[in-house]
Structure formats: structure tokens, C-alpha cells
Amino acid sequence: MKVLVAMSGGVDSAVSAFLLRKQGYEVVGVHFKMEDDLFFSRYSLNHKVCCSPDDTSDAIKIAKKIDIPIKIIDLKAEFRERIIKDFIKDYQMGITPNPCAWCNKKMKFWALEKIGKEFGIELFATGHYAFVKGGKIYMGSDTKKDQSYFLSLLTKDILKKLILPVGEMKKEEVRKIAIENELLVGTKPDSQDICFIPDGNLKKFFENEGIPIRSGPVKDIHGNIIGTHEGYQIYARGQRKGVGIAAGKRVYVIGVDPATNTVIVGDKSDLVKESIKIDDLNLLYDVSKPFDCMCKLRSTGPLIRCRLDPVEKSVLFYESAIPVAGQVIAFYKEKELIGGAIQM
């Protein structure tokens, strides 16, 4: 059987392609270009980001090593339209988006399905740490690396065609396979930060996009001005580092008000919510009434007991929860991923 493997140039997708080839699949690699190579030359980085020119070179070398064809697909225009523009719009509205989760849904798997149809390939594979069993998708065995959260917006139709070869493995096992089989990327570090903001400097990113960043007041939850911020767009709910307020205690960003260019701060307890509304609900089961389940509010966060109402599109938390508008919320039944949505 033919399978289309998304090859990022990293160790996880390299080992995924290698294992599928070994299992007898007819493997076709595909590597997506989301940014121009010149874009990355502007940055001097001391850490790894995805989609760089080195990644393209490594993906080609890996494909040659395991003797599979690879297609390099230019998605720069689509990436700007579908991901970067929405990212900017959300931040300007005071929402903290999750571009990596949306990139899976709107870009990578959209492109895999499109390319698969062109070449008559029905199966897809990626290096995500999650696994498919009996038509259901579960959290990765390596809990520190579990990436099921980032797959929670994918539809049932996509997940039916998905193979995740490393999902039941530990990261150390994956690296060992790469090293033993001379796949070149066995010790390559994992990517960090948002690929289109390689240095993590939000302020510079918005300025480069022609968006004016103005300083404004920082207020406490009672409306008292206690400081000045550098531009509301660069602050996210729950942020503690970089707030720059000498309040004599730890303060957290509770929210921002774009209309008045104001950042509101408070105690950690002020971040806690008993319930939230959700949008873009994507359930992998047909459910029409409220039910209890578990959820994750961030990729590395704990599982929290909750009650999901798919009709009212709301979530009631049974435990202390700190939601962030714009971020993904993933839903689970024990270790099984049962859907996802966007926190409002």
C-alpha cells in the first residue's frame, strides 16, 4: 500500500518513514516549504525552529538514504493567508492563537489530503507522538512528548487515513533507531517557538508586518494604573514573565483591552475560571447532550475533569482551570482523544 509521509526534516518523521518502508509500505515523502529560505537568514538563532532551509536539506538526504521519492511543496502563499493573517488578527483582537494546532488542520493535513488525491494515495503518516488503534486515536506513550492535543481539530475522515508510526515509542527509542540506521538526524534537536517568529520577538514581528505597537497603561483588576506596557499585542493571558511591573509580588496578565490599549494584571487566582464557552467544536463521536470527560487546556498541561455541553458549546470545569482565549482545548475519554475546540 502507498502512504504519503510528511517529512519535516526532523528525527520523528525520518524514523516514521523508515519504519513504514521497513514494514513494506510504498512510501512517498513530502516536505512543505512554509517560508522563503531568505526569511531565516535574517535571524541568528541558538535554538531550532521548524521549516528552515536545513530542514529541507535534511528531508531530502533522509529520503535518499531510505530510498524513497520526496516531493517539495511550496505552501508559502497559503501559509500566509491561512495561518499568519489569522494569527495577526487574533492578537489584535486580544486573543492568543495557537498557530501550530491550526497549521495541522488548515495546512499540513489539508495539503496531505490534496496531494494524496492527486497521486492516488489514501494513507498519510506523520511523526506525531500519538497513536491510532481500532480506528481511535490515543495519547502518545511518551507522556512528556504526547502531541495528541495538536491533532484534536482534525476530522474523523482525516484520522481514519492516518498512521502514526512512533506514537507508541519513547523519544529515546526513536533517536536510537535513527542513529543505528544512520538517518543523519538522530541527535538533531527538537524545534522550538513559532516558525514564522524564529527569535520569539512578538514586538519585532508585528512591527515588521507594519502594525504599530504603542505603549499604554497597565491596570490592576480594580482599574488602578500601576505601570506601562510596551503594546497590548505582545501580552498573553496567564503571562508572568516579561510583564515588567514592580508590584512587590508576582503578577499575571489577566487580559487585554485592545480598544483602550490596556493590559490588566492580577493574582494567579484571578485567572481561574469555573466554565468557558468554546468555538469550532470538533467531536470524533456523535454526541448531542452534555457528558463528563477530561480535557487539556494546553499541550503540556494536565488532564482536567470537566463537563462538555456540545449543544451550548460550553465547558464546566470540576477542577482548578486557567483557560486562555484562542488556545485549543482537547477532550479525552481516559487516554483516548475524542475531540477539540477553541477556548473563548
Side-chain angles (χ1 to χ4, degrees):
M1 294 181 70
K2 286 186 178 181
V3 58
L4 197 60
V5 182
M7 298 184 68
S8 66
V11 65
D12 303 322
S13 59
V15 171
S16 295
F18 170 79
L19 291 174
L20 290 170
R21 181 87 163 83
K22 194 174 180 182
Q23 291 165 16
Y25 285 91
E26 185 178 342
V27 179
V28 177
V30 60
H31 177 79
F32 303 129
K33 297 290 290 183
M34 306 295 195
E35 289 284 2
D36 193 280
D37 289 352
L38 183 62
F39 169 80
F40 292 97
S41 68
R42 303 169 192 158
Y43 297 88
S44 177
L45 302 175
N46 56 9
H47 61 267
K48 169 78 177 63
V49 294
C50 72
C51 310
S52 71
D54 287 345
D55 290 327
T56 304
S57 175
D58 287 341
I60 293 170
K61 290 175 183 175
I62 293 160
K64 185 176 181 180
K65 174 70 179 177
I66 62 178
D67 192 26
I68 63 169
I70 186 169
K71 304 179 186 301
I72 310 301
I73 309 297
D74 186 341
L75 293 178
K76 293 190 289 290
E78 292 89 343
F79 186 69
R80 168 155 287 276
E81 191 64 32
R82 291 167 174 251
I83 304 300
I84 296 179
K85 283 188 176 181
D86 281 351
F87 178 89
I88 293 170
K89 182 182 70 176
D90 284 350
Y91 258 102
Q92 288 190 291
M93 291 170 60
I95 297 171
T96 307
N98 196 316
C100 294
W102 278 119
C103 186
N104 278 330
K105 179 179 175 66
K106 293 183 177 181
M107 292 299 305
K108 293 175 184 175
F109 285 92
W110 164 80
L112 283 171
E113 191 168 36
K114 182 181 178 184
I115 296 163
K117 286 179 180 177
E118 289 177 9
F119 293 97
I121 303 174
E122 294 186 356
L123 296 176
F124 318 131
T126 70
H128 283 96
Y129 282 87
F131 67 92
V132 179
K133 201 170 187 178
K136 299 177 181 179
I137 187 163
Y138 296 86
M139 295 174 66
S141 299
D142 191 336
T143 53
K144 292 181 181 178
K145 292 293 182 180
D146 169 53
Q147 294 175 309
S148 58
Y149 174 90
F150 292 107
L151 303 176
S152 63
L153 299 179
L154 300 183
T155 65
K156 287 183 283 187
D157 289 341
I158 288 289
L159 294 176
K160 285 176 184 175
K161 306 172 185 176
L162 182 60
I163 303 174
L164 301 170
V166 303
E168 294 187 78
M169 301 172 69
K170 299 286 186 182
K171 185 76 176 194
E172 294 76 15
E173 296 176 70
V174 174
R175 290 196 181 280
K176 184 180 179 183
I177 290 172
I179 292 168
E180 288 178 346
N181 293 278
E182 300 178 345
L183 297 183
L184 311 174
V185 290
T187 59
K188 188 173 182 177
D190 294 335
S191 58
Q192 303 173 35
D193 295 329
I194 300 169
C195 63
F196 55 90
I197 313 178
D199 59 359
N201 191 328
L202 269 173
K203 185 177 182 180
K204 184 169 75 174
F205 166 76
F206 285 118
E207 289 173 342
N208 287 341
E209 291 289 329
I211 297 168
I213 302 296
R214 298 181 293 109
S215 61
V218 174
K219 295 182 179 180
D220 63 21
I221 59 172
H222 304 293
N224 302 309
I225 297 177
I226 58 173
T228 304
H229 65 74
E230 297 181 32
Y232 78 86
Q233 294 97 330
I234 63 176
Y235 296 86
R237 189 172 193 273
Q239 180 178 332
R240 178 174 65 83
K241 294 181 179 179
V243 178
I245 301 299
K249 61 178 181 179
R250 288 184 175 180
V251 294
Y252 297 78
V253 175
I254 306 302
V256 300
D257 183 354
T260 60
N261 191 27
T262 301
V263 172
I264 302 116
V265 299
D267 297 329
K268 189 174 184 179
S269 60
D270 296 319
L271 291 166
V272 176
K273 285 190 175 184
E274 294 182 355
S275 64
I276 59 169
K277 287 288 189 179
I278 55 175
D279 197 11
D280 293 302
L281 178 60
N282 173 57
L283 278 180
L284 303 178
Y285 287 89
D286 294 327
V287 185
S288 58
K289 61 182 180 179
F291 63 96
D292 290 347
C293 60
M294 306 291 284
C295 69
K296 269 190 176 190
L297 293 169
R298 52 194 56 80
S299 63
T300 57
L303 285 169
I304 298 172
R305 292 182 298 115
C306 68
R307 187 168 184 79
L308 169 61
D309 188 331
V311 177
E312 295 296 325
K313 292 190 177 179
S314 63
V315 180
L316 172 68
F317 301 111
Y318 293 139
E319 302 176 56
S320 178
I322 300 177
V324 178
Q327 294 287 292
V328 168
I329 176 171
F331 300 105
Y332 298 86
K333 181 181 179 182
E334 296 181 355
K335 297 289 186 178
E336 181 191 351
L337 177 69
I338 59 173
I342 301 298
Q343 303 171 41
M344 300 297 287

